């Protein structure tokens, strides 16, 4: 008769229970949203902290083989290397041992229990992504080829928290080298320092968070937030004695004057880019949406603003042009506009024939003189790669789900413009719990070169890509992109090895590559002056 191994692997049997919440914030993930503005904080958890209390630690603990836990390292020791727990678990399942759920079932929260951290997975990965056809490509989410090559990656749990599902134009999470900030129920903002010190900002508890952005490299930063009702807040944040985060409100713009829908700090300067609609005198609302830049945020000071571009509908996406003060914006009016530092229009065109545009991202890969533009429509199911002025469309990628509503993605680009992330915000079963990476090849023939699918346990609602890890002792020399996510149950950090998302050479080296066809031009874009 088969031996019962569950006593050696606590919590993995059919009768296993979810870990007890350690804090009020973790416990709040298990109860319905009651609009509470005061929520406690959960400490940063690592895979080694997921071991149940009282169990053995280190490699002598059988659970460490599954969770990737390792013995606690001394201050002088190098970071531990995670074990291949996924491979061992697959071996046990293949041996016919009953009562052993898979890794995703084990980590899923039980009813009325807090969300469990997504396990850190280190199973062997296929090196290459799925090769995309040149010129125009179609990818079916969850098809046989994609499912067989769907990847998993290391995950760091940051906090357990329930977010309302649904697609959003703005961000729910912002990161800097020292801080991670995210919205909580009632419109408050949780600010967490790398040292685990934290604060709760309650400036706009009358409306939920609509967008968030942070600027600064050290312990002193500035945070900007926008509410769903259109209010704009700017805060200075710092840390005292490494134990207390201090926040000071520098600026507040009440709704009714200008309804702010999007905001974004300049990559190097304390200049804030905002998109909103003005309330004209004698009218309830102007039909013109403006994109403007403000600077001079300080206590007791009044910032100065300058208009950069205008749209005839809601502005859904704004972006700075690297190494310049230029701006790119897109909106529901179907237009993408490129402007210079003075607000003069460099280019304006309709990438999808007047259909709404959800995303406009500036890609400036190393080695290129001029940036490229990436646009997204149909909730980013159709993304296109353009020349900077929109005169040439180099590549079109269509994402084909089982139904249109099964894939509505939020789109972000990594700081080096190597990977485009498309995270599905729709909970449509296991096939829909996924994010895609699209590798951008920016040589003389710019194109989307390769695509990978990554499994997630909880639907991603908002994300941002960074080169910085929130974990203080991570080897920053490794070529990884850190994807910070606000998901339906948790806030997490995904470690994405860039090389595993690339397509390394043609499938058959002896097969000659066909001569590339010239990229299609955009007929609706008139000749425009070259970008500065």
């Amino acid at each position: 008769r088969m031996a019962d191994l569950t006593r050696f692997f606590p919590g993995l049997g059919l009768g296993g229970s979810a870990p007890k919440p350690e804090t009020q914030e973790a416990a709040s993930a298990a109860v319905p949203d009651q609009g509470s503005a005061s929520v406690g904080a959960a400490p940063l958890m690592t895979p080694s902290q997921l071991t149940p209390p009282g169990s053995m630690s280190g490699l002598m603990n059988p659970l460490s083989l599954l969770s990737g836990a390792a013995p606690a390292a001394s201050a002088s020791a190098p970071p531990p290397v995670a074990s291949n727990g996924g491979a061992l678990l697959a071996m046990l399942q293949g041996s016919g041992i009953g009562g052993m759920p898979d890794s995703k079932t084990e980590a899923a929260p039980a009813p009325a229990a807090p969300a469990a951290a997504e396990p850190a997975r280190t199973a062997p990965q296929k090196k290459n992504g799925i090769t995309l056809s040149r010129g125009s490509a179609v990818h079916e989410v969850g098809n046989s080829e994609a499912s067989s090559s769907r990847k998993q990656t290391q995950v760091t749990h940051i906090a357990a928290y329930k977010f309302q599902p649904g697609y959003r134009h703005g961000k729910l999470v912002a990161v800097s080298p020292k801080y991670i900030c995210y919205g909580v129920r009632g419109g408050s903002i949780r600010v967490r320092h790398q040292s685990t010190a934290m604060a709760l900002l309650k400036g706009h508890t009358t409306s939920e968070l609509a967008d968030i952005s942070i600027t600064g490299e050290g312990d002193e930063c500035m945070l900007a937030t926008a509410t769903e009702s259109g209010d704009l807040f700017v805060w200075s944040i710092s840390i005292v004695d490494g134990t207390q985060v201090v926040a000071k409100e520098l600026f507040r713009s009440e709704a009714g004057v200008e309804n702010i829908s999007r905001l974004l700090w300049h990559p190097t300067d304390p200049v804030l880019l905002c998109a909103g609609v003005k309330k004209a005198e004698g009218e309830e609302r102007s039909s013109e949406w403006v994109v403007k830049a403000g600077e001079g945020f300080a206590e007791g000071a009044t910032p100065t603003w300058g208009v950069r571009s205008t749209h005839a509908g809601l502005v859904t996406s704004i972006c700075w042009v690297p190494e310049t003060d230029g701006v790119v914006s897109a909106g529901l009016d179907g237009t993408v506009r490129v402007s210079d530092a003075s607000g003069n229009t460099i280019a304006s065109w309709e990438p999808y024939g007047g259909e709404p545009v959800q995303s406009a991202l500036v890609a400036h890969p190393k080695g290129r003189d001029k940036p490229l533009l990436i646009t997204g429509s149909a909730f980013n199911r159709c993304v296109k790669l353009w020349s900077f002025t929109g005169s040439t469309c180099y590549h079109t990628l269509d994402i084909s789900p089982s139904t249109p509503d099964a894939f509505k993605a939020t789109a972000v680009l990594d700081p080096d413009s190597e990977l485009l992330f498309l995270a599905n915000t729709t909970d449509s079963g296991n096939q829909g719990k996924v994010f895609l990476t699209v590798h951008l090849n920016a040589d003389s023939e710019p194109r989307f070169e390769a695509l990978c699918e990554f499994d997630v346990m909880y639907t991603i609602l908002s994300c941002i890509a960074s080169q910085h890890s929130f974990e203080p002792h991570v080897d920053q020399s490794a070529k990884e992109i850190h994807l910070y996510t606000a998901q339906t149950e948790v806030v997490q950090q995904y470690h994405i090895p860039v090389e595993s998302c690339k397509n390394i050479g043609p499938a058959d080296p002896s097969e000659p590559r066909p001569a590339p066809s010239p990229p299609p031009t955009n007929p609706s874009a008139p000749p425009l002056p070259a970008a500065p």
Side-chain angles (χ1 to χ4, degrees), residues 18 56 63 73 81 94 166-167 205-206 219 269 273 293 306 317 320 323 341 365 426 438 450 461 473 532:
M56 295 179 290
L63 183 58
V81 178
Y167 177 87
T205 54
T206 59
D219 290 331
D269 300 326
L273 192 65
S317 184
W320 290 97
E323 301 179 1
T426 301
V438 182
L461 303 176
H473 303 299

Side-chain angles (χ1 to χ4, degrees), residues 176-509:
S176 74
K178 293 292 185 179
Y179 293 94
I180 181 168
C181 311
Y182 53 91
V184 296
R185 283 190 296 270
S188 298
I189 309 298
R190 171 67 67 198
V191 179
R192 298 169 64 98
H193 189 268
Q194 193 177 52
S195 66
T196 70
M198 60 196 70
L200 188 68
L201 309 186
K202 300 181 179 181
H204 46 76
T205 54
T206 59
S207 182
E208 298 294 332
L209 178 68
D211 205 0
I212 185 170
S213 182
I214 190 171
T215 183
E217 295 290 321
D219 290 331
E220 295 185 1
C221 295
M222 284 200 292
L223 179 71
T225 60
T227 70
E228 290 182 349
S229 60
D231 297 332
L232 168 66
F233 292 78
V234 178
W235 320 72
S236 67
I237 56 176
S238 58
I239 188 167
V240 178
D241 298 328
T243 58
Q244 182 182 4
V245 173
V246 177
K248 183 180 297 184
E249 184 179 307
L250 302 179
F251 178 77
R252 176 186 296 202
S253 173
E254 296 289 351
V257 178
E258 291 181 325
N259 257 353
I260 304 299
S261 63
R262 295 301 313 271
L263 52 81
L264 182 67
W265 286 107
H266 190 278
T268 57
D269 300 326
V271 181
L272 184 64
L273 192 65
C274 294
V277 59
K278 287 187 176 181
K279 183 178 180 181
E281 295 182 5
E283 301 178 11
E284 291 187 0
R285 172 174 288 189
S286 170
S287 60
E288 184 179 63
W289 289 74
V290 296
V291 178
K292 59 181 186 176
E295 56 184 325
F297 295 97
E299 190 174 10
T302 301
T304 58
W305 298 90
V307 175
R308 296 300 184 88
S309 67
T310 61
H311 285 263
L314 173 71
V315 176
T316 56
S317 184
I318 53 177
C319 195
W320 290 97
V321 180
E323 301 179 1
T324 74
D325 288 332
V327 169
V328 175
S329 59
L332 296 184
D333 60 356
T335 62
V336 171
R337 299 186 186 277
V338 181
S339 62
D340 62 16
S342 300
N344 301 314
T345 299
I346 298 174
S348 177
W349 76 101
E350 297 180 346
Y352 304 94
E355 292 297 315
V357 181
Q358 273 79 35
S359 296
L361 306 173
V362 177
H364 201 171
K366 296 177 181 178
R368 281 194 66 89
D369 294 334
K370 293 183 180 180
L372 300 168
L373 291 183
I374 298 174
T375 62
S377 185
F379 296 98
N380 295 310
R381 289 190 298 270
C382 179
V383 292
K384 294 186 177 186
L385 180 63
W386 299 86
S387 62
F388 184 62
T389 58
S391 58
T392 303
C393 179
Y394 295 111
H395 204 166
T396 299
L397 172 62
D398 287 297
I399 306 300
S400 177
S402 55
T403 62
D405 289 338
F407 192 89
K408 296 180 178 180
T410 180
V412 296
L413 193 64
D414 85 277
D416 284 340
S417 301
E418 289 190 83
L419 295 180
L420 169 67
F421 293 87
L422 299 173
N424 189 14
T425 64
T426 301
D427 188 357
S428 54
N430 290 334
Q431 293 295 326
K433 295 178 179 179
V434 62
F435 68 84
L436 313 180
T437 63
V438 182
H439 177 238
L440 175 62
N441 189 323
D443 60 14
S444 58
E445 306 165 17
R447 62 195 179 277
F448 299 128
E449 187 173 52
L451 181 147
C452 296
E453 291 189 9
F454 283 82
D455 266 323
V456 296
M457 182 177 296
Y458 305 109
T459 302
I460 295 176
L461 303 176
S462 181
C463 60
I464 188 169
S466 173
Q467 294 174 328
H468 304 288
S469 176
F470 193 63
E471 297 175 280
H473 303 299
V474 168
D475 180 10
Q476 300 285 3
S477 64
K479 185 59 176 177
E480 277 190 344
I481 300 300
H482 303 280
L483 187 70
Y484 294 87
T485 62
Q487 297 170 256
T488 51
E489 305 282 345
V490 290
V491 178
Q492 299 194 123
Q493 171 187 349
Y494 289 84
H495 306 257
I496 312 296
V498 175
E499 290 301 317
S500 70
C501 301
K502 293 182 178 180
N503 174 41
I504 312 300
D508 183 2

Side-chain angles (χ1 to χ4, degrees), residues 16-172:
S17 59
K20 182 179 178 180
E22 297 185 9
T23 65
Q24 183 180 354
E25 182 170 0
S28 69
V31 299
D33 186 352
Q34 298 176 349
S36 173
S38 178
V39 183
L44 180 66
M45 296 177 64
T46 63
S48 61
Q49 291 174 307
L50 299 179
T51 307
S55 62
M56 295 179 290
S57 63
L59 295 177
M60 294 301 295
N61 179 8
L63 183 58
S64 68
L65 298 174
L66 298 174
S67 65
S74 65
S76 60
V81 178
S83 303
N84 191 351
L88 175 63
L89 184 58
M91 179 184 71
L92 293 175
Q93 292 171 325
S95 302
I97 298 176
M100 295 286 292
D102 61 27
S103 59
K104 295 184 77 171
T105 304
E106 179 271 329
E118 189 160 348
R121 300 156 176 153
T122 55
Q125 305 293 340
K126 293 187 176 181
K127 186 173 181 62
N128 293 0
I130 300 171
T131 304
L132 297 173
S133 302
R134 297 194 179 207
S136 180
V138 177
H139 175 72
E140 296 181 7
V141 178
N143 65 11
S144 57
E145 180 185 7
S147 297
S148 64
S149 60
R150 184 171 285 190
K151 296 174 179 288
Q152 296 174 337
T153 190
Q154 182 183 351
V155 184
T156 298
H157 177 76
I158 296 175
Y161 195 82
K162 277 187 177 290
F163 291 91
Q164 292 293 333
Y167 177 87
R168 295 165 172 83
H169 295 297
K171 303 296 182 186
L172 293 177

